[in-house]
Amino acid sequence: MTKKNMIYFISLCMLCIEFILCRYVFFEIHGMKDWSLILFLFGLFVMVISFLLKARLVSIFTAIAYMVGWIAGIIFQTNDVDLGGGRTNSLWILWTVVFIFSVILSVLIQLIVIKKKKIDKK
């Protein structure tokens, strides 16, 4: 395994560990079975694409963003009651928004880095 590919492997391992932590270890904190898996699969998809496109920053940011999104959701979540009297919680929304925003931000940063490298080569 090359040094460049090692970054993707470490990022993937980080994402898998974070998924296990969020889904199983911290389950009592949030009680979501499916949403942690859905976000993990999205992150996995992003990592595969970043590997194919050689976008290392995207892979690194995706791995970090999964847990950062979860932590932001835990810190800033609110509990409420909907119109039907059911309980609602904003953790999943915050987690998703922070995670997806971070992935989009990483793509933009990666594009800037690529463009800068092209300009520097000229």
Side-chain angles (χ1 to χ4, degrees):
M1 182 177 298
T2 66
K3 188 176 182 178
K4 288 183 178 182
N5 287 343
M6 187 65 87
I7 291 172
Y8 299 106
F9 179 73
I10 291 169
S11 297
L12 177 62
C13 288
M14 280 179 52
L15 182 66
C16 290
I17 290 168
E18 292 167 350
F19 167 70
I20 291 168
L21 287 172
C22 289
R23 171 59 181 90
Y24 299 103
V25 177
F26 304 140
F27 179 75
E28 293 299 320
I29 296 172
H30 57 78
M32 293 182 283
K33 290 182 180 180
D34 294 334
W35 202 244
S36 55
L37 176 63
I38 290 168
L39 292 180
F40 169 74
L41 292 175
F42 172 74
L44 194 59
F45 174 76
V46 169
M47 284 193 168
V48 168
I49 298 299
S50 72
F51 176 75
L52 295 174
L53 297 177
K54 296 179 175 43
R56 286 184 280 158
L57 289 177
V58 175
S59 181
I60 294 166
F61 271 71
T62 300
I64 294 168
Y66 186 87
M67 188 57 82
V68 169
W70 185 82
I71 291 169
I74 291 296
I75 292 171
F76 299 109
Q77 70 181 316
T78 58
N79 292 308
D80 210 353
V81 179
D82 66 16
L83 295 176
R87 293 179 4 175
T88 61
N89 183 287
S90 64
L91 184 146
W92 71 275
I93 296 169
L94 294 167
W95 186 4
T96 303
V97 169
V98 170
F99 185 47
I100 292 176
F101 176 77
S102 298
V103 169
I104 292 169
L105 181 64
S106 72
V107 169
L108 295 175
I109 291 170
Q110 184 74 59
L111 291 173
I112 291 168
V113 168
I114 290 169
K115 188 168 184 125
K116 186 175 180 342
K117 283 182 181 179
K118 285 183 181 179
I119 290 172
D120 290 345
K121 283 185 179 180
K122 290 183 179 181

